[in-house]
Amino acid sequence: MQVIPGVHQITHRFVNIVLFVEERLTLIDSGFRGSAPRIAEYIGSLGRSVREIELIIITHNHLDHVGGLAELKEMAPQASVAAHKDDLSRDEIGLPYPGYALKLLKLPLVSLLRPLAYIKPDDVDIRLGGGEVLPPMGGLEVIHTPGHTPGSICLFSPERKLLVVGDILNNRHRDIIPPARMISTDFQQAMESVKRLAQLDFDNLCCGHGKPMVGGAGARVRDWVKLRGF
Ligand SMILES: [Zn+2]
């Protein structure tokens, strides 16, 4: 669906992928494994080609947001992949899941999922630190918002008053909800990140799960933060 002109949200298996359609195509997140054909089909329906994707930005290194990356890279080999460095650990201890989930991933059968659970540093071309301004949307600000994972980022377009937040906020049945505590590395830190996001001047919000909010989204997030006593 089109969110605002030039900004589309593709939903596949309850996960959102955001597409910026400009002279170049930019994708935010890649969905679960198996999402790439759906993404290619959607881009085709706009009269464009998946091969035109120049940049894939990862909001955070969780399997429902990065699982489709390898297939997508095969379809769009020239695309660069950008992700925050704090989600790209080579050490067990720095992997972007809470401790109990990492223990689960060690169990014999569950460990088969391990290669799908996160991408590795070598899968990423551009290691972000937060504070960068990327070329899409006339200047897309990278905001480091740790808490759901150590390297969660949000993407902010001041020109379009658009904020793309990954899982740090979600939209369930038109209600803003925080990230699931169970799969967040530091919930309190996530809430501190949301508090910072609420200061931004945006009207439109795309979340990792749920429908986009078009118009008045910034005010809604500010009210939500106030209500929770921040
Ligand atoms: Zn997540």
Side-chain angles (χ1 to χ4, degrees), residues 38-209:
R38 169 79 189 102
I39 294 168
E41 181 193 62
Y42 186 91
I43 294 173
S45 76
L46 302 175
R48 303 288 294 264
S49 162
V50 69
R51 298 186 67 81
E52 295 177 71
I53 298 173
E54 294 221 350
L55 179 63
I56 302 168
I57 309 168
I58 300 297
T59 61
H60 65 293
N61 195 357
H62 273 176
L63 81 168
D64 52 337
H65 297 264
V66 299
L69 187 64
E71 303 155 304
L72 212 52
K73 281 284 287 177
E74 273 176 32
M75 290 181 176
Q78 78 296 344
S80 300
V81 177
H84 194 280
K85 59 181 171 49
D86 290 354
D87 264 12
L88 300 170
S89 174
R90 289 185 195 275
D91 304 326
E92 181 79 15
I93 203 142
L95 288 173
Y97 289 93
Y100 82 91
L102 292 175
K103 274 185 198 151
L104 269 178
L105 282 169
K106 280 185 183 160
L107 295 175
L109 273 176
V110 189
S111 68
L112 295 174
L113 290 174
R114 227 181 149 83
L116 301 178
Y118 46 82
I119 52 169
K120 303 203 169 66
D122 296 342
D123 299 324
V124 171
D125 307 295
I126 305 164
R127 292 165 69 94
L128 301 167
E132 294 87 349
V133 179
L134 302 174
M137 291 287 144
L140 188 66
E141 296 178 14
V142 178
I143 304 165
H144 184 206
T145 49
H148 180 53
T149 66
S152 285
I153 55 167
C154 296
L155 289 319
F156 175 50
S157 162
E159 192 181 288
R160 311 302 302 276
K161 295 203 171 196
L162 170 74
L163 185 65
V164 181
V165 294
D167 278 357
I168 199 94
L169 284 174
N170 282 306
N171 180 8
R172 187 192 288 161
H173 310 308
R174 299 185 188 178
D175 275 336
I176 297 168
I177 57 164
R181 274 175 197 264
M182 282 278 287
I183 50 162
S184 297
T185 49
D186 187 336
F187 186 78
Q188 198 49 46
Q189 190 185 39
M191 291 301 91
E192 289 300 320
S193 290
V194 171
K195 194 173 152 188
R196 281 192 289 119
L197 287 176
Q199 321 273 324
L200 298 172
D201 181 18
F202 64 98
D203 284 332
N204 311 301
L205 177 70
C206 289
C207 304
H209 307 273

